[in-house]
Amino acid sequence: MSSRFFPARYENLVPYVYGEQPQNGGFIKLNTNESPFPPSPAVYEALSKGEVDNLRLYPSPESSRLLPLLSRELGVPENMLFAGNGSDEILALVFMAFFMDEKAVSYPDITYAFYPVYTSLYLQKAHVIPLKDDFSFDVDAAIAADSAVVVANPNAPTGIALPISEIARLAEALPDRLIVVDEAYCGFGAETAIPLLSSHDNILVVQTMSKARSLAGARLGYAVGSPQLIADLKAIKYSFNSYTVNRLTERVAVAALEDKAYYETNCATIRQNRAYTVEKLQKLGFRVLPSEANFVFATSPDISGKELYLGLKEKKILVRWFDKPRIRDYVRITIGTEEQMNALLKETAALIGKGE
Ligand SMILES: *Cc1c(COP(=O)(O)O)cnc(C)c1O
């Protein structure tokens, strides 16, 4: 129950329910799309005694070591970049900066669960755009809704990606609406919308180091957009908290970004393990949506999503199950190492009576 100090405007606030994070180990964790690989070896080296000594100092409020590197990596000038405490924080700042006075914001019925949470926190109303029958994003419906759009690309939990020509079509049809493209899963196969930024000033791309760069625990996300959009985000950030990216996080993000080879190898391994997992799940009779992410969304005619989730949990394997219309029969499985995937496949086969 709330205190009597909590205002009525939060009556309908529905906080995000995060995936289970068991702290006692023993689980094969395929439920929150983390990387199965540790951060780059360069990250270990970066955490020197000198860096610890420096913790007495405030971090750079502008992440001035990181942004020049990101600028080179992404091929955009620094004034088009904004770093934050994970992309979740950046998305919250985006809602605060741009959507509070909007009548509504559009996003799909099945997408990242934080969008409805930010909506309930900041503006109350959304146009919930049903995904098409094949679970792809309905661009025409989003155009018809004529509001700002938040779209995860690839989408979560489906893994389905939209070609950037479709993002361009959306941005061109709604030139006075902001189109936020959440690319949390960049690196695993989908095209980035960053090349559209030079010709479309109403697109803002958000990426993260949590997934493909194995830094979920460090919390580092960034936005890429027009210098004006970035200036607006900074105005909101500096009205809230100047030091959102701490010293150690900036340091490890720099190290991770410098080790491009490690990143590319890990992304390639995940794509390979994904193809392997999809093939094996299909052999077990599953329908698997086409994924460009580090997870797959799958359903079996032989077992309900809930039974599969609970059955795997009993075997110490965590996957994500959403008790929601349209997707109740699916589970979302993070792609891990080949060994982890083999454990998942073996227990799954046993649960549906197809084990050896
Ligand atoms: C994981 C995820 C995020 C959150 O990323 P952080 O940078 O760890 O906050 C944002 N959007 C989507 C779609 C995600 O799946």
Side-chain angles (χ1 to χ4, degrees):
M1 213 182 83
S2 313
S3 78
R4 67 185 189 281
F5 307 107
F6 206 48
R9 74 177 305 277
Y10 294 137
E11 243 167 29
N12 299 320
L13 189 65
V14 191
Y16 182 70
V17 181
Y18 48 82
E20 294 159 275
Q21 301 289 8
Q23 300 294 327
N24 55 354
F27 280 93
I28 296 181
K29 239 184 127 284
L30 305 175
N31 67 328
T32 51
N33 300 340
E34 289 140 325
S35 173
F37 308 116
S40 152
V43 166
Y44 293 78
E45 282 164 39
L47 292 172
S48 62
K49 178 173 183 303
E51 292 297 330
V52 177
D53 289 344
N54 281 338
L55 282 178
R56 68 191 178 80
L57 303 170
Y58 281 106
S60 157
E62 298 274 331
S63 300
S64 57
R65 286 173 82 178
L66 177 64
L67 290 201
L69 275 175
L70 261 185
S71 162
R72 226 182 316 144
E73 174 66 26
L74 302 174
V76 298
E78 272 180 62
N79 66 358
M80 291 180 69
L81 291 169
F82 176 90
N85 189 297
S87 47
D88 286 343
E89 182 195 63
I90 295 186
L91 291 166
L93 287 170
V94 165
F95 270 69
M96 222 192 290
F98 303 114
F99 297 159
M100 285 237 260
D101 292 335
E102 292 290 316
K103 284 200 195 66
V105 59
S106 296
Y107 48 74
D109 57 342
I110 294 157
T111 191
Y112 187 41
F114 241 124
Y115 308 153
V117 173
Y118 296 136
T119 302
S120 75
L121 180 60
Y122 290 116
L123 82 166
Q124 322 301 338
K125 196 167 171 307
H127 293 299
V128 176
I129 313 280
L131 293 179
K132 296 189 207 167
D133 288 341
D134 66 356
F135 286 122
S136 65
F137 185 58
D138 192 340
V139 173
D140 293 305
I143 292 171
D146 192 22
S147 287
V149 180
V150 185
V151 56
N153 197 36
N155 195 14
T158 63
I160 295 175
L162 204 58
I164 61 166
S165 55
E166 285 292 280
I167 306 273
R169 187 162 78 82
L170 184 62
E172 283 155 26
L174 301 173
D176 295 317
R177 304 289 186 194
L178 183 61
I179 313 297
V180 178
V181 188
D182 179 353
E183 297 183 352
Y185 298 98
C186 61
F188 301 117
E191 283 175 285
T192 172
I194 289 175
L196 298 177
L197 297 177
S198 54
S199 47
H200 299 75
D201 69 355
N202 60 329
I203 296 178
L204 185 77
V205 173
V206 181
Q207 297 188 343
T208 179
M209 297 208 178
S210 291
K211 314 264 161 69
R213 293 190 198 264
S214 309
L215 287 177
R219 316 301 304 132
L220 195 289
Y222 49 93
V224 196
S226 76
Q228 292 77 16
L229 286 173
I230 297 302
D232 295 340
L233 279 176
K234 285 185 185 174
I236 298 302
K237 168 189 145 163
Y238 288 115
S239 308
F240 183 72
N241 175 6
S242 311
Y243 302 113
T244 54
V245 178
N246 73 68
R247 240 171 208 289
L248 296 181
T249 293
E250 188 186 11
R251 189 65 198 89
V252 299
V254 164
L257 209 54
E258 280 173 335
D259 193 352
K260 199 168 173 176
Y262 184 79
Y263 161 78
E264 283 172 354
T265 304
N266 285 348
C267 288
T269 305
I270 294 294
R271 289 197 299 268
Q272 201 179 313
N273 294 355
R274 181 178 68 205
Y276 172 79
T277 306
V278 170
E279 190 197 315
K280 296 282 181 181
L281 284 172
Q282 284 171 340
K283 280 208 180 115
L284 290 173
F286 276 77
R287 174 181 178 222
V288 189
L289 300 188
S291 171
E292 302 291 347
N294 66 339
F295 58 83
V296 291
F297 205 45
T299 183
S300 162
D302 302 315
I303 190 168
S304 76
K306 184 177 186 178
E307 283 173 305
L308 180 56
Y309 157 70
L310 289 174
L312 288 170
K313 189 171 174 180
E314 203 140 280
K315 299 292 180 187
K316 293 288 202 182
I317 299 174
L318 280 181
V319 298
R320 193 87 190 259
W321 172 66
F322 300 90
D323 191 8
K324 277 192 62 174
R326 290 187 82 183
I327 57 171
R328 213 165 261 132
D329 275 331
Y330 286 76
V331 295
R332 190 192 69 190
I333 304 164
T334 302
I335 302 299
T337 61
E338 194 176 327
E339 190 190 356
Q340 291 176 319
M341 300 330 285
N342 281 331
L344 168 102
L345 291 161
K346 179 164 170 273
E347 297 302 345
T348 300
L351 284 167
I352 60 175
K354 293 184 184 170
E356 65 275 16

